[in-house]
């Protein structure tokens, strides 16, 4: 990891060069979920890197526990400003400037991270966002005006964000944003994540219907890669022939 990237991200997943994708690669900033930067988030970064994306993961908790940080996280989501937005934007900027990156950068967020990704989708510099069961603000249509293309996934059994896919689709349509939103009928919240939440959150997670589902995850990942391949593969550093 370069010194600049190392100063701003906790984890970097680098693709293995191949004949058809030798690098540089498009960049993706991964915005972690409520449980922080653990093994599951690293695995999420790794599968994107295996598909040819340079993935940077900042630690939004700065090494502190979720319990100490969660109130601030939700406060920032509500106010649409704060240190999380600054950290993610800095990660985007240093990733775009890295010699291994094409300069085109998107983001992927899960749960809490999906909420932040959604709020940042209209900020300059982003080429695509993947929002996975992220919280949707009441003024979503206004917030999403001028947003980059968005691919999103929600579970029909999500008790935290009921009818999330329908609500987001309506807001994106109203804002005129290019999007691919899908509701998965058999799953609830967090269906793409493999983790064992620390006690006493284990019981709370079960009550909330949080749980991994392989088939839905496989389809969501397929859609994300197809969407990213369309919107992130262009290389702005390429020089057009004269």
């Amino acid at each position: 990891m370069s010194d600049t990237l190392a100063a701003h991200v906790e984890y970097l997943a680098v693709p293995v060069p191949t004949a058809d994708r030798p690098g540089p690669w498009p960049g993706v900033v991964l915005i972690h979920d409520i449980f922080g930067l653990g093994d599951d988030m690293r695995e999420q970064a790794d599968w994107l890197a295996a598909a040819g994306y340079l993935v940077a993961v900042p630690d939004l908790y700065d090494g502190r526990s979720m319990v100490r940080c969660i109130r601030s996280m939700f406060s920032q989501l509500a106010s649409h400003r704060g240190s999380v937005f600054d950290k993610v934007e800095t990660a985007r900027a240093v990733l775009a400037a890295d010699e291994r990156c094409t300069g085109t950068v998107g983001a992927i967020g899960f749960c809490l991270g999906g909420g932040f990704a959604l709020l940042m989708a209209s900020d300059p510099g982003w080429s695509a966002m993947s929002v996975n069961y992220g919280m949707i603000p009441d003024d979503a249509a206004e917030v999403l005006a001028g947003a980059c293309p968005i691919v999103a996934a929600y579970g029909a059994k999500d008790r935290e964000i009921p009818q999330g896919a329908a609500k987001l689709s309506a807001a994106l349509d109203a804002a005129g944003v290019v999007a691919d939103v899908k509701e998965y009928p058999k799953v609830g919240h967090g269906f793409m994540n493999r983790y064992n939440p620390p006690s006493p959150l284990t019981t709370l997670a079960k009550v909330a219907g949080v749980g991994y589902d392989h088939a839905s995850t496989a389809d969501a990942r397929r859609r994300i890669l197809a969407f990213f391949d369309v919107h992130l593969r262009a290389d702005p550093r390429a020089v057009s022939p004269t």
Side-chain angles (χ1 to χ4, degrees):
M1 191 185 308
S2 70
D3 290 342
T4 303
L5 266 176
H8 296 287
V9 303
E10 184 70 18
Y11 185 74
L12 183 71
V14 181
V16 175
T18 61
D20 59 333
R21 292 178 179 173
W25 304 280
V28 174
V29 177
L30 189 151
I31 312 173
H32 65 65
D33 62 11
I34 194 171
F35 297 112
L37 178 49
D39 290 343
D40 177 69
M41 290 296 105
R42 290 179 172 85
E43 193 277 332
Q44 301 288 354
D46 290 345
W47 74 259
L48 280 164
Y53 292 92
L54 183 66
V55 187
V57 191
D59 180 4
L60 306 182
Y61 294 164
D62 288 327
R64 294 171 294 174
S65 70
M66 177 193 72
V67 175
R68 293 182 60 188
C69 299
I70 195 61
R71 179 178 294 181
S72 173
M73 297 296 107
F74 282 108
S75 176
Q76 291 181 58
L77 274 177
S79 64
H80 299 192
R81 65 179 184 272
S83 63
V84 170
F85 294 91
D86 297 337
K87 286 179 181 295
V88 174
E89 168 53 26
T90 297
R92 184 206 63 77
V94 296
L95 184 60
D98 192 274
E99 63 182 6
R100 292 163 293 184
C101 183
T102 61
T104 300
V105 180
I108 184 170
F110 301 88
C111 180
L112 183 75
F116 281 110
L118 198 59
L119 293 179
M120 298 186 74
S122 59
D123 291 348
W126 299 104
S127 295
M129 291 284 185
S130 171
V131 176
N132 301 291
Y133 28 90
M135 289 166 282
I136 304 165
D138 293 335
D139 58 346
E142 180 180 346
V143 169
L144 292 167
C148 66
I150 293 173
V151 56
Y154 288 84
K157 297 182 179 181
D158 191 330
R159 299 174 185 174
E160 297 180 43
I161 312 174
Q163 299 182 327
K167 292 176 181 177
L168 182 56
S169 291
L172 291 167
D173 288 345
V177 177
V178 174
D180 173 6
V181 181
K182 183 172 180 177
E183 179 180 85
Y184 290 86
K186 299 181 180 180
V187 299
H189 198 76
F191 69 86
M192 295 177 67
N193 303 113
R194 294 180 185 268
Y195 44 54
N196 294 313
S199 181
L201 292 174
T202 302
T203 301
L204 180 60
K206 291 180 179 179
V207 171
V210 175
Y212 177 79
D213 182 81
H214 176 76
S216 299
T217 295
D219 184 74
R221 286 184 171 185
R222 175 192 59 78
R223 291 174 47 246
I224 291 167
L225 291 181
F227 199 83
F228 277 6
D229 282 349
V230 170
H231 297 286
L232 297 183
R233 286 292 173 197
D235 184 354
R237 296 178 183 174
V239 178
S240 301
T242 56

